[in-house]
């Protein structure tokens, strides 16, 4: 029996909150601050025709949080309820309105409790990996922690790729798993896996709940950990008997995170900021190297660039933090970055590394990377400072706060008048003219780069783009111009194929007013093709631009370049019918009642993409592209800027 709502019941924050800064004070590296535990998220409604969405797609943050309201429980203060109901109410108190949960024996109680919630809706994935990637897409598009739920055993292990992906890309997420009853843990019970042990090294933190009274505190801690400092995934494993146990919850239990809180960076680095400004003043060829840590500091970053005139190169994860349409943007650097971005880093005398981790796909040969430059590294994670490249000046702290401090110094000292990097910018502009991003056209065949270019034009650069992993991912990074943060959702560090479609689901739930396009490859798309069913049932307006080359394109490119074009299981079609497109992706769409079309000629492409964008609801466009295309430029793994490849494709022998 559920008591009628009692207006006198309100949420009392944890007792140390008065002494500790609120969650919003710790501006995370890859998430928007959570300003209120009662913050409401978007309710789902359908808006999918581009012409209806142009005014909203330029906004990349969620709606402003509502004023903090006293939380009203469904239960009387002293009324016992199941642990599963306590868990669901704890999620409600964190402002959760959407979860991605797939039921099973050990999580049934949680799902039953979800049906009793008037606040939380479940978007039912068709595979747990689809659920965890959708929760990631939700978090990446909104900045709020994504929530996914799975059962024990295989349900829990199906979350592993998503948890690893969220940790590598600093995505705030809370994953909840059912577990066998406490008395059966360690007995090899049916559908038992020690998921806390399995995920220990791929989560920011995880919990096995052994006392039902711990649920309110554990959930509060999980959301705090996921979204503060350097964000990441937190897992909560809840045995079935805990879910079923009756309890009167204590909502005012304090968090117990003394070690974590004591290690949070303190914003006391004025001397370092002055030193950085001095280095900028002394430099002749400075470059900004900007990563995912800057996605929540785009205003401060733009102001810093206005004040200094320093050109900006972005990592794969940092795309959108600084507008790609700006003259000072060098676009992406790294293995498949622009020649001019990599040239700038190679020739620079000062490298300002903000919110980055010197990943191997960016640096290549570490000794040759920015070898002429003094390096300034600002990052919120102390483990990243000096891990791969030793900086000359480093700050462990929030990039937003650091940029605010730098801007203040520059404005107060009028230092800008002394900064003149016009010769350096002119040199880089010459490189842009000499080595632009380009592609070749062969007859009526559709260059995949051209398809993305047309999509960019027709959406005004305002769509949210998700991708799988491979060639299409790199082309989407190169040829779609991201001017705002949280437009670009991709699996960067882990490189998980199958990410694009479920991530688009999460983005469509988080940002229902935006145009969401999954730019996918046939290899990645088929890995989570079952999520078409979720898209249809939820009527999510996800557009799928499928660049279908019948091959595992990126591996084929490496075969062409380094293995004499010997094909080692990279053909994804039917060898006995090579002239036919296999599998027929249109049939998958038809099976899920999703409108779809195929385009094979360049002349027909623009109209086909326009029709996709204009069609209400979901749509799949199967774009047949040649498999001989290579992603260029390319710096081979472990190479330096001098090894850059700018010419050739699979039609050439190497």
């Amino acid at each position: 029996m559920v008591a009628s709502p009692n207006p006198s019941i309100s949420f009392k924050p944890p007792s140390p909150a008065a002494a500790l800064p609120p969650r919003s004070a710790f501006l995370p590296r890859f998430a928007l601050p959570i300003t209120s535990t009662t913050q409401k998220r978007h309710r789902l409604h359908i808006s999918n025709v581009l012409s209806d969405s142009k005014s909203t797609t330029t906004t990349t943050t969620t709606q402003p949080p509502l004023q903090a309201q006293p939380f009203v429980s469904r239960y009387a203060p002293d009324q016992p309820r199941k642990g599963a109901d306590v868990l669901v109410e704890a999620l409600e108190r964190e402002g959760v309105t959407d979860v991605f949960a797939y039921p099973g024996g050990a999580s049934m109680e949680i799902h039953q409790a979800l049906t009793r919630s008037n606040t939380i809706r479940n978007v039912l994935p068709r595979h747990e990996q689809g659920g965890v990637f959708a929760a990631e897409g939700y978090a990446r598009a909104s900045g709020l922690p994504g929530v996914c739920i799975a059962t024990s055993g295989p349900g829990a292990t199906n979350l592993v790729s998503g948890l690893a992906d969220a940790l590598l890309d600093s995505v705030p997420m809370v994953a909840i798993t059912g577990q066998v009853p406490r008395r059966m843990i360690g007995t090899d019970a049916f559908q038992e896996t020690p998921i806390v042990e399995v995920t220990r090294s791929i989560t920011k933190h995880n919990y096995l709940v052994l006392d039902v009274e711990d649920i309110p505190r554990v959930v509060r801690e999980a959301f705090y950990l996921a979204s503060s400092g350097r964000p990441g995934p937190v897992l909560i494993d809840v045995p079935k008997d805990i879910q079923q146990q009756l309890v009167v919850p204590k909502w005012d239990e304090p968090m117990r995170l003394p070690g974590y809180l004591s290690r949070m960076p303190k914003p006391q680095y004025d001397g370092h900021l002055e030193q950085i400004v001095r280095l900028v003043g002394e430099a002749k060829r400075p470059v900004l190297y900007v990563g995912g840590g800057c996605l929540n500091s785009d205003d401060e970053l733009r102001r810093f660039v206005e004040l200094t005139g320093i050109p900006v190169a972005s990592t794969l994860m940092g795309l959108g933090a600084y507008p790609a349409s700006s003259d000072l943007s060098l676009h992406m650097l790294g293995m498949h970055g622009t020649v001019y971005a990599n040239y700038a880093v190679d020739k620079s005398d000062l490298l300002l590394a903000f919110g980055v981790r010197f990943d191997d796909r960016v640096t290549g040969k570490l000794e040759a990377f920015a070898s002429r430059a003094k390096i300034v590294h600002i990052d919120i994670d102390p483990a990243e400072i000096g891990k791969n490249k030793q900086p000359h000046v480093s700050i462990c702290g929030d990039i937003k706060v650091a940029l605010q401090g730098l801007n203040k110094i520059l404005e107060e000292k009028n230092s800008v008048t002394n900064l003149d990097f016009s010769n350096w910018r002119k040199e880089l502009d010459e490189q842009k003219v000499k080595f632009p991003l380009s592609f070749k056209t062969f007859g009526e065949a559709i260059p995949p780069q051209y398809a993305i270019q047309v999509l960019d034009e027709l959406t005004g650069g305002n769509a949210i783009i998700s991708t799988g992993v491979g060639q299409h991912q790199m082309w989407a990074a190169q040829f779609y111009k991201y001017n705002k943060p949280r437009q670009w959702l991709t699996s960067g560090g882990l490189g998980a194929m199958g990410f694009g479609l479920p991530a688009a689901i999460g983005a469509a739930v988080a940002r229902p007013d935006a145009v969401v396009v999954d730019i996918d490859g046939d290899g990645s798309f088929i890995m989570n093709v079952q999520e078409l069913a979720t898209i249809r049932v939820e009527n999510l307006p996800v557009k799928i631009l499928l660049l279908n080359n019948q091959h595992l394109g990126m591996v084929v490119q490496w075969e062409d370049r380094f293995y004499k074009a010997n094909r080692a299981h990279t053909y994804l079609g039917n060898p006995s019918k090579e002239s036919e497109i296999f599998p027929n992706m249109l049939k998958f769409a038809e099976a899920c009642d999703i409108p779809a079309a195929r385009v094979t000629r360049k002349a027909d492409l623009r109209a086909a993409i326009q029709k996709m964008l204009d069609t209400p609801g979901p749509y799949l466009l199967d774009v047949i592209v040649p498999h001989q295309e290579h992603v260029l430029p390319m710096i081979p793994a472990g190479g330096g800027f001098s090894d850059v490849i700018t010419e050739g494709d699979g039609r050439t022998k190497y």
Side-chain angles (χ1 to χ4, degrees):
M1 173 179 169
V2 179
S4 58
N6 186 336
S8 66
I9 302 171
S10 63
F11 171 44
K12 183 179 177 184
S15 55
L20 297 170
R23 284 196 293 174
S24 57
F26 299 111
L27 291 165
R29 177 171 184 245
F30 197 62
L32 294 173
I34 311 301
T35 51
S36 164
T37 52
T38 54
Q39 180 175 352
K40 294 296 179 189
R41 308 180 185 199
H42 289 302
R43 299 301 298 152
L44 187 69
H45 66 273
I46 304 304
S47 172
N48 56 338
V49 179
L50 188 67
S51 58
D52 294 337
S53 309
K54 279 184 178 172
S55 61
T56 57
T57 51
T58 54
T59 304
T60 57
T61 53
T62 51
Q63 292 174 350
L66 302 178
Q67 291 297 315
Q69 304 277 336
F71 184 85
V72 180
S73 175
R74 296 186 298 282
Y75 299 91
D78 56 352
Q79 181 182 359
R81 78 288 311 252
K82 286 184 173 183
D85 287 295
V86 176
L87 177 66
V88 169
E89 183 169 323
L91 294 177
E92 292 173 344
R93 288 169 180 264
E94 291 296 328
V96 175
T97 57
D98 302 284
V99 298
F100 303 88
Y102 198 89
S107 63
M108 281 180 66
E109 289 285 355
I110 300 172
H111 282 263
Q112 290 295 312
L114 283 170
T115 65
R116 295 188 280 273
S117 171
N118 297 320
T119 309
I120 300 175
R121 74 171 285 207
N122 180 34
V123 178
L124 178 68
R126 287 340 191 235
H127 189 291
E128 290 91 355
Q129 189 182 92
V132 69
F133 283 160
E136 266 201 274
Y138 185 104
R140 290 172 190 254
S142 69
L144 298 165
V147 180
C148 60
I149 304 174
T151 190
S152 63
T157 56
N158 278 341
L159 301 181
V160 163
S161 292
L163 293 170
D165 190 57
L167 186 73
L168 278 167
D169 287 352
S170 307
V171 178
M173 190 164 67
V174 174
I176 297 167
T177 51
Q179 182 56 279
V180 299
R182 284 172 296 177
R183 67 183 181 281
M184 297 171 72
I185 291 176
T187 67
D188 294 334
F190 177 66
Q191 289 195 334
E192 181 197 357
T193 52
I195 198 62
V196 164
E197 301 304 322
V198 169
T199 63
R200 191 177 301 283
S201 61
I202 55 168
T203 51
K204 188 174 177 182
H205 193 57
N206 56 22
Y207 295 90
L208 173 62
V209 180
L210 296 175
D211 186 338
V212 69
E213 293 190 353
D214 287 342
I215 291 175
R217 173 184 59 82
V218 164
V219 171
R220 188 176 308 123
E221 287 180 9
F223 276 82
Y224 183 80
L225 289 167
S227 55
S228 61
R230 179 177 182 173
V234 178
L235 181 130
I236 306 173
D237 197 28
V238 190
K240 190 166 184 177
D241 59 324
I242 295 280
Q243 298 171 36
Q244 294 171 327
Q245 191 175 338
L246 293 176
V247 67
V248 176
K250 297 175 183 174
W251 297 109
D252 56 356
E253 281 291 306
M255 293 193 296
R256 299 177 195 167
L257 300 169
Y260 178 77
L261 291 168
S262 69
R263 293 193 303 272
M264 293 293 279
K266 310 295 187 289
Q268 297 167 347
Y269 30 72
D270 288 349
H272 285 88
L273 297 180
E274 295 273 5
Q275 193 178 353
I276 293 168
V277 171
R278 275 200 306 277
L279 287 173
V280 169
E282 293 165 3
K284 301 295 182 196
R285 304 153 81 87
V287 176
L288 272 158
Y289 157 34
V290 168
C294 293
L295 288 180
N296 194 41
S297 313
D298 55 310
D299 290 339
E300 291 80 4
L301 178 64
R302 279 201 308 275
R303 181 62 181 148
F304 181 77
V305 175
E306 281 173 20
L307 290 167
T308 61
I310 298 175
V312 183
S314 294
T315 67
L316 183 72
M317 296 304 302
L319 292 173
Y322 186 76
S325 58
S326 167
D327 290 340
L328 285 172
S329 174
L330 300 171
H331 307 115
M332 188 171 72
L333 82 165
M335 177 179 279
H336 292 295
T338 62
V339 171
Y340 41 89
N342 289 323
Y343 174 93
V345 171
D346 187 61
K347 304 296 182 190
S348 66
D349 61 4
L350 177 65
L351 186 70
L352 301 173
F354 290 176
V356 296
R357 59 189 182 90
F358 290 88
D359 172 69
D360 61 286
R361 286 293 167 109
V362 165
T363 64
K365 187 178 181 181
L366 271 168
E367 308 82 62
F369 182 76
S371 57
R372 302 169 175 84
K374 291 178 179 174
I375 295 175
V376 173
H377 192 185
I378 305 179
D379 198 272
I380 203 162
D381 184 357
E384 295 298 345
I385 306 290
K387 185 179 82 175
N388 293 330
K389 194 82 174 171
Q390 198 61 44
H392 296 74
V393 180
S394 65
I395 291 176
C396 181
D398 189 332
I399 187 66
K400 192 181 188 83
V401 177
L403 279 168
Q404 287 168 347
L406 287 169
N407 292 343
K408 187 178 178 187
I409 293 168
L410 287 165
E411 288 164 346
E412 286 176 354
K413 289 193 169 183
N414 291 320
S415 308
V416 262
T417 53
N418 303 322
L419 300 178
D420 181 11
F421 304 123
S422 54
N423 290 337
W424 174 227
R425 291 197 298 268
K426 184 181 175 185
E427 184 180 335
L428 295 179
D429 287 342
E430 288 169 1
Q431 290 294 311
K432 286 184 180 183
V433 172
K434 193 174 177 183
F435 296 105
L437 286 173
S438 61
F439 55 87
K440 295 175 182 174
T441 301
F442 295 88
E444 275 299 307
I446 300 172
Q449 305 94 323
Y450 175 70
I452 295 164
Q453 217 172 52
V454 171
L455 179 71
D456 182 42
E457 291 171 23
L458 294 179
T459 56
N462 289 325
I464 293 176
I465 303 295
S466 70
T467 73
V469 168
Q471 287 183 314
H472 70 275
Q473 175 191 28
M474 294 298 103
W475 286 319
Q478 291 176 337
F479 287 90
Y480 200 98
K481 302 308 177 192
Y482 305 94
N483 289 317
K484 294 282 185 181
R486 308 199 179 281
Q487 274 187 272
W488 167 243
L489 320 177
T490 199
S491 174
L494 191 67
M497 291 175 67
F499 177 84
L501 191 62
I505 290 173
V509 172
R511 305 261 301 277
D513 294 327
V515 175
V516 179
V517 183
D518 169 29
I519 299 176
D520 227 328
D522 47 318
S524 280
F525 176 69
I526 208 166
M527 284 199 175
N528 273 314
V529 69
Q530 75 283 340
E531 299 309 321
L532 288 174
T534 302
I535 287 170
R536 176 72 284 166
V537 169
E538 301 290 340
N539 196 29
L540 297 171
V542 172
K543 314 298 183 185
I544 302 149
L545 186 72
L546 185 59
L547 302 179
N548 188 346
N549 66 1
Q550 297 283 280
H551 286 74
L552 205 52
M554 188 60 87
V555 186
V556 165
Q557 177 171 335
W558 281 55
E559 285 176 342
D560 288 341
R561 293 281 177 179
F562 312 118
Y563 295 89
K564 298 181 180 176
N566 181 47
R567 295 286 173 260
H569 321 117
T570 47
Y571 176 59
L572 300 178
N574 184 349
S576 63
K577 296 180 180 178
E578 283 196 26
S579 61
E580 296 180 12
I581 301 299
F582 178 88
N584 186 345
M585 302 297 184
L586 306 183
K587 296 284 187 183
F588 288 129
E590 183 186 347
C592 293
D593 195 26
I594 289 174
R598 175 177 293 159
V599 59
T600 58
R601 297 170 65 249
K602 185 182 178 187
D604 302 329
L605 180 67
R606 184 175 293 270
I609 293 178
Q610 189 63 63
K611 183 180 179 184
M612 173 185 80
L613 295 170
D614 290 342
T615 302
Y619 194 97
L620 185 149
L621 182 61
D622 190 18
V623 183
I624 308 303
V625 298
H627 72 273
Q628 296 95 336
E629 290 296 322
H630 284 185
V631 180
L632 296 173
M634 178 184 183
I635 297 176
F641 175 66
S642 59
D643 304 310
V644 66
I645 299 168
T646 58
E647 291 291 331
D649 56 23
R651 301 169 183 90
T652 312
K653 287 188 177 180
Y654 301 96

